[in-house]
Amino acid sequence: MTMTRGTVLLALVISVNLIYAQEPTTLEDGAPLFSPVTWDRLVNAADEPQNWLMYSGTFDSQRFSRLNQINTENAATLELKWTHHIPQLDRNETTPLVVDGVMFITESPSNLTAVDAATGRPYWRYEHELPDDLRVCCGRNNRGVAILGETLYMSTLDAHLVGIDARSGSLLWSTEVADYQQGYSKTAAPLIVKDKVITGIAGGEFGIRGFLDAYDANTGTREWRTYTIPGPDNPDNRSWAGDSWRTGGSPTWITGSYDPELNLVYWGTGNPGPDYNGEVREGDNLYADSVLALDGDTGDMSWYFQFTPHDVHDWDAIQIPVLADIEIDGTPRKTMLWANRNAFYYTLDRETGEFLVGKAFARQTWAEGLDENGRPIRRPNMLPSAEGTLVSPTAGGATNWWSPAFSPRTGLLYVNAFDGEAEFFIRDEEYRAGDRYTGGGTDSPLPIDNYASAIRALDPTTGDLQWEFPIKARSRAGVLATAGDLVFSGSVDGYFYALDAVTGEELWHIPLSGRMNANPMTYAVDGQQYVTMPVGNVVYTFGLPD
């Protein structure tokens, strides 16, 4: 990548820390000043582009902001405004919230801090005490919080849901969601639906039985639970051989979406367990690797769509469901846009779950394509084996948990995609509660430079590629789109950049000397637009020159 006039020198990084000496806007007791976040504000979050009121910005999870002060004409002049340093050195995957000039940042492993969104000056910090014997699959992560009224809701690695006073950082209540010693954990930001906190569960590599929960926002009392693996009283239980459903995984470890008009919660589910040994769980393994549409009041299932029946490659369908109203073949449809970890892109009808569009968006060798109902047509000899079977994509997938973005201005879905391959191995493994239960593993036969990553712009009406912007292979950052016709993302070699949303042309970048494992977001304070990107254990915030 070539340097541009937006490059920021190290001296500027040092100087912006002096901003911390300024006085923040506070109440008399020093608490941050903001208006309570009502349900009406959340439903109409798109009308408050100066704020970022939930993990994906809005209930439709488009990660599109109507702010346009930063645009294609001036993006090259972006400069660093302030930084926030996270004390822990764990991988930083947070998406902050911004409410009326106050930013709430989750910090690994299960902590939360509030800062002035214009300066980075801290208000308070909450630290959640964790046990020493955690069972964690893939890092000590926390990806964000939800807010309703003056209460923040956070998941913790020891499988608790906590309510925290947003003014003071004081703990209001703590609810145990599941037993962490059995392998359950929580890493995702919850989602508010009316007066309930919707929250999922992680731990699919430990032989858990996945579920999605709703809790009373005031008390932390559980209102409903929907298991992502049906029990024996459900005919779909027959998609699991014997009692394999009891340890079948199918976790819900990323935040979902919500349609207020349909009152449907949409949530993706993870892979079945054990991950690679499908011989012990013959059948489609419902509802693993699926998207579920649930009634927001009761948790009752309206419909489901399974992307990868009987998955033996660890292709969790925990990507963010993007909701958009678009025309398909000249007919307006309420749709769901989904670039899946299995390398296929899907457009579904979000009212009924009907399959509308399907097409590979990244390299894949395991399927001939999708049939008329969206079910994959598998190629023979692609299952894991004792000697290893070479398959694309890798277990990490053609994309993963990092968020895509959709721009209603361009009509394009932007996704961080990966072309790679891996050898998949199978082994016999006995289930023991609290231990990893994967039934095999993978190995990448070539150096990482032999593979490719890119930001790809897809037409959701056809699945066709419109443009791509190559980046360093195996990048893990999400995407943000704005009304300034910009797309922001980051790469594994530490570059944060802005692209033209129409053409994919690079307009600006900056090296930040750290891996990016999070999603960018944007907001405004006192009429100035900012863009924030967590990198390593630092949260960087950029804006236009004063």
Side-chain angles (χ1 to χ4, degrees):
M1 298 181 180
T2 57
M3 303 300 288
T4 72
R5 55 197 174 103
T7 300
V8 179
L9 300 178
L10 177 62
L12 180 57
V13 177
I14 297 173
S15 68
V16 295
N17 289 325
L18 299 176
I19 295 174
Y20 282 87
Q22 299 177 358
E23 287 295 324
T25 302
T26 62
L27 299 174
E28 291 183 2
D29 61 358
L33 179 63
F34 62 89
S35 298
V37 179
T38 63
W39 171 242
D40 185 67
R41 288 185 71 182
L42 292 175
V43 171
N44 297 289
D47 296 332
E48 297 186 33
Q50 74 275 15
N51 291 320
W52 194 271
L53 297 180
M54 63 193 77
Y55 177 73
S56 295
T58 49
F59 281 127
D60 56 23
S61 297
Q62 293 182 4
R63 280 192 176 264
F64 173 81
S65 171
R66 296 180 184 177
L67 295 177
N68 61 7
Q69 184 183 82
I70 302 172
N71 54 57
T72 55
E73 298 300 318
N74 57 26
T77 67
L78 282 169
E79 62 184 26
L80 187 62
K81 295 300 181 180
W82 58 263
T83 62
H84 170 75
H85 292 259
I86 296 174
Q88 300 289 336
L89 294 179
D90 295 284
R91 192 166 63 210
N92 181 8
E93 297 183 353
T94 186
T95 296
L97 300 190
V98 171
V99 183
D100 303 334
V102 182
M103 180 180 286
F104 301 101
I105 306 168
T106 56
E107 302 177 350
S108 299
S110 296
N111 304 322
L112 177 62
T113 190
V115 305
D116 186 314
T119 67
R121 175 174 178 135
Y123 291 114
W124 54 255
R125 188 166 187 267
Y126 167 81
E127 294 190 15
H128 183 80
E129 187 175 350
L130 292 168
D132 295 330
D133 58 341
L134 289 172
R135 278 79 165 168
V136 179
C137 157
C138 310
R140 291 156 54 90
N141 309 316
N142 192 295
R143 298 185 179 93
V145 293
I147 188 169
L148 182 65
E150 299 179 11
T151 303
L152 296 161
Y153 305 92
M154 183 176 73
S155 297
T156 67
L157 278 179
D158 58 347
H160 281 67
L161 178 69
V162 297
I164 300 168
D165 188 305
R167 304 283 185 192
S168 66
S170 300
L171 180 67
L172 299 176
W173 50 259
S174 178
T175 298
E176 183 182 62
V177 173
D179 182 0
Y180 77 89
Q181 292 182 319
Q182 300 294 311
Y184 291 90
S185 62
K186 290 173 64 60
T187 57
L191 184 72
I192 301 298
V193 172
K194 301 177 183 177
D195 59 351
K196 296 179 177 63
V197 185
I198 314 298
T199 181
I201 197 72
E205 276 64 42
F206 292 86
I208 67 164
R209 182 188 180 195
F211 56 80
L212 189 68
D213 282 351
Y215 292 84
D216 182 281
N218 293 316
T219 66
T221 303
R222 194 172 83 196
E223 297 291 321
W224 53 256
R225 170 169 289 182
T226 299
Y227 283 101
T228 59
I229 301 177
D233 58 338
N234 188 318
D236 288 338
N237 179 261
R238 293 195 293 268
S239 64
W240 295 83
D243 286 338
S244 62
W245 63 275
R246 297 184 183 276
T247 55
S250 188
T252 49
W253 55 274
I254 289 294
T255 310
S257 306
Y258 176 68
D259 186 325
E261 292 184 5
L262 300 176
N263 192 33
L264 289 179
V265 174
Y266 304 100
W267 219 279
T269 65
N271 61 277
D275 301 39
Y276 307 107
N277 188 350
E279 295 176 0
V280 301
R281 51 170 173 83
E282 291 295 339
D284 280 357
N285 305 140
L286 296 170
Y287 305 105
D289 285 359
S290 302
V291 57
L292 311 182
L294 308 179
D295 184 287
D297 297 326
T298 66
D300 293 340
M301 189 181 300
S302 176
W303 57 263
Y304 72 88
F305 181 88
Q306 189 175 44
F307 299 97
T308 312
H310 192 68
D311 176 21
V312 288
H313 297 100
D314 193 13
W315 291 329
D316 302 58
I318 45 65
Q319 298 74 51
I320 304 291
V322 178
L323 313 183
D325 296 343
I326 62 176
E327 284 193 2
I328 303 290
D329 296 329
T331 301
R333 304 292 291 259
K334 293 181 180 296
T335 67
M336 175 185 296
L337 318 181
W338 199 297
N340 194 268
R341 189 161 161 174
N342 69 10
F344 284 94
Y345 168 77
Y346 303 77
T347 299
L348 306 178
D349 185 304
R350 71 175 184 269
E351 291 186 279
T352 64
E354 179 187 357
F355 171 71
L356 301 175
V357 174
K359 190 172 188 177
F361 71 94
R363 179 181 174 186
Q364 69 84 22
T365 59
W366 68 281
E368 298 291 347
L370 305 176
D371 69 16
E372 61 183 5
N373 297 312
R375 188 180 179 93
I377 305 167
R378 290 181 178 270
R379 289 186 173 132
N381 305 316
M382 288 289 118
L383 302 182
S385 60
E387 64 277 10
T389 304
L390 190 65
V391 180
S392 293
T394 67
T399 190
N400 206 301
W401 64 266
W402 40 89
S403 297
F406 173 78
S407 171
R409 290 174 57 85
T410 65
L412 298 177
L413 180 76
Y414 307 96
V415 59
N416 183 347
F418 177 61
D419 296 330
E421 63 186 12
E423 292 179 327
F424 288 80
F425 297 89
I426 192 172
R427 65 173 176 263
D428 292 329
E429 198 167 72
E430 182 180 349
Y431 169 75
R432 293 184 180 87
D435 290 348
R436 290 180 69 94
Y437 182 54
T438 59
T442 70
D443 181 55
S444 295
L446 297 174
I448 193 65
D449 290 341
N450 291 80
Y451 305 125
S453 285
I455 302 299
R456 291 182 175 147
L458 307 178
D459 180 346
T461 66
T462 61
D464 292 342
L465 177 68
Q466 298 302 299
W467 56 257
E468 69 173 16
F469 177 73
I471 53 179
K472 181 72 174 178
R474 215 64 190 99
S475 291
R476 298 167 55 90
V479 187
L480 167 72
T482 75
D485 287 333
L486 295 174
V487 168
F488 289 91
S489 191
S491 56
V492 70
D493 50 348
Y495 285 90
F496 184 45
Y497 51 86
L499 310 178
D500 186 304
V502 177
T503 66
E505 176 189 0
E506 183 188 77
L507 302 176
W508 169 83
H509 76 264
I510 181 172
L512 294 174
S513 301
R515 292 193 173 192
M516 301 190 190
N517 298 292
N519 302 305
M521 49 83 69
T522 187
Y523 62 94
V525 180
D526 296 331
Q528 181 172 0
Q529 183 181 356
Y530 299 89
V531 180
T532 290
M533 184 69 191
V535 183
N537 69 324
V538 180
V539 177
Y540 291 89
T541 295
F542 300 87
L544 297 174
D546 295 331

